[in-house]
Amino acid sequence: MAHFRRLIRSDLPPATVFAAVLDLQGHTEVVPFTQSSTTDGRPVGENSELLGLTRIGPLTVRDTMTVIEFRPPGDGRAGYCLLVKTGRVVLGWIELSVSDSGLGGSVLRWEQEISIAHLPRLFDPLLGPVAGLGYGFALHRLLRRAR
């Protein structure tokens, strides 16, 4: 599996950042060719099942995930979410936390392991940086959208 980490500082409060990066309508708007939703239509929370459908021409990739832990920030504690990818094509996990920066904003930490089924492991050194760039771009767009 390929691994990457993104650390993003924002002047937005932790609750706003946490909500922005878990806003699936936001993901649909900022991630090209992809529609994101919960399978039951409710907001993201613990035990939610998430679905990302990426369509490019006749090709459709289903990226399914389960929220294992979900703790929004509050009362001085960091927000935390752990998602496990459960699909047949995109595998891995995402761990994110949002904490107070101490400077009137917040710090988002996004850590992820990702692999693509049937993609030889020799591509992991390329997959990590490419996925990291793509996710970093999307995260920055989600935060801009939250303003």
Side-chain angles (χ1 to χ4, degrees), residues 52-67:
L53 286 176
T54 301
R55 293 185 178 98
I56 301 175
L59 176 68
T60 299
V61 176
R62 293 175 57 91
D63 183 8
T64 58
M65 293 163 261
T66 300
V67 178

Side-chain angles (χ1 to χ4, degrees), residues 95-134:
E95 183 179 59
L96 69 98
S97 67
V98 181
S99 57
D100 189 304
S101 69
L103 303 171
S106 57
V107 177
L108 165 65
R109 184 183 59 81
W110 181 285
E111 188 166 353
Q112 184 166 349
E113 278 198 359
I114 186 170
S115 69
I116 306 299
H118 310 296
L119 184 67
R121 297 291 178 247
L122 91 106
F123 289 102
D124 282 355
L126 181 61
L127 179 59
V130 169
L133 282 172

